[in-house]
Amino acid sequence: MTNTSSLIIAIDGPSASGKGTVARRLAAHLGFAYLDTGLLYRAVGLGVLRAGEGLDDPAAAARAAGRLDPASVLTLGDDPDIRSDTASVAASKVAAVPEVRAFLLKFQQDFGAKPPGGKKGAVLDGRDIGTVIAPQAPVKIYVTASTATRADRRYRELQDRGENVTEAAVLADLQARDARDSNRATAPARPADDAIMLDTTNMTADEAFAQALAVVQGKLPHLR
Ligand code: DC
């Protein structure tokens, strides 16, 4: 039976805004389940590439979404390629396909309604959690940072992964993804009207987490 009293915290924002760190730390602090919904789109994008099909083929993307095994979704992060630049570009392309989004919608909503491990709530991070997946979420935070800061963070992350990239290429890539994610017709990335904005440009990860926790506790004072 669906646990309709599960609390959902929606964390949205563009890539390298710091939303993943904020969301993960909030979930750990509150004892909530955590879902990085970008991993779902990344897995679909990699699925298309691994099938030798084209990222511009919506039917191939829909087929790759259909092959995702809900039981393995919690371990998608273990795939060594899932955080690669190739996977993020592929994700952003397949994420524009309405059939892909429709396929992933139910999984995300089920996760929020019935968090694994019997947890009392779930933190979901993505682009459309507050607007489409969980518009009823009592807490919505939209995490942003300047484009230059995000590109710098992403560049360092890719360097740490040993990827051979230039800062200029990372910036161009990020801008192309931002444009694709915010201009697509289905569930474009944007803050919900009732989202609280959190700009992490000049914040450390600790500061961003502290501010996000203060937002959560402001909305849900019983959470510590
Ligand atoms: O958060 P991320 O960088 O891992 O996301 C990868 C891509 O997936 C991103 O460019 C847009 C897409 N995405 C989406 O459209 N909706 C979500 N809820 C999460 C990610």
Side-chain angles (χ1 to χ4, degrees):
M1 208 181 88
T2 299
N3 171 12
T4 48
S5 63
S6 163
L7 279 176
I8 298 178
I9 296 180
I11 311 287
D12 288 301
S15 59
S17 58
K19 69 179 189 311
T21 307
V22 162
R24 197 174 310 107
R25 288 185 61 175
L26 278 179
H29 180 90
L30 300 168
F32 282 16
Y34 168 57
L35 181 63
D36 170 357
T37 65
L39 289 181
L40 303 170
Y41 294 91
R42 287 167 179 264
V44 173
L46 282 178
V48 172
L49 295 176
R50 286 172 178 162
E53 297 185 290
L55 288 170
D56 297 325
D57 177 356
R63 281 195 296 277
R67 288 195 299 272
L68 263 195
D69 172 10
S72 71
V73 156
L74 285 175
T75 55
L76 286 177
D78 299 343
D79 181 332
D81 294 330
I82 204 107
R83 305 211 180 265
S84 67
D85 211 35
T86 305
S88 49
V89 172
S92 173
K93 290 190 175 167
V94 299
V97 177
E99 291 82 356
V100 170
R101 304 203 71 85
F103 195 89
L104 300 180
L105 179 93
K106 183 173 169 0
F107 173 78
Q108 295 171 80
Q109 290 184 334
D110 287 350
F111 187 99
K114 196 167 188 291
K119 302 260 167 83
K120 59 184 179 291
V123 181
L124 276 71
D125 91 46
R127 301 290 189 292
D128 63 340
I129 308 303
T131 50
V132 175
I133 305 297
Q136 80 287 5
V139 185
K140 300 177 188 175
I141 302 176
Y142 197 85
V143 185
T144 58
S146 73
T147 308
T149 300
R150 293 191 294 117
D152 188 53
R153 289 176 186 163
R154 185 75 185 133
Y155 175 65
R156 286 164 201 268
E157 192 187 318
L158 291 171
Q159 271 202 323
D160 287 348
R161 285 181 46 85
E163 293 203 26
N164 187 14
V165 286
T166 65
E167 269 200 84
V170 171
L171 176 64
D173 218 61
L174 198 88
Q175 287 171 323
R177 281 180 58 194
D178 281 358
R180 229 177 359 248
D181 294 345
S182 4
N183 296 330
R184 67 181 176 228
T186 310
R190 65 168 182 83
D193 293 339
D194 53 349
I196 306 279
M197 305 299 285
L198 180 63
D199 185 334
T200 68
T201 304
N202 295 307
M203 286 184 199
T204 63
D206 283 349
E207 286 164 348
F209 165 65
Q211 294 227 1
L213 184 60
V215 169
V216 170
Q217 291 174 336
K219 297 265 181 193
L220 302 168
H222 65 286
L223 291 182
R224 280 285 144 250

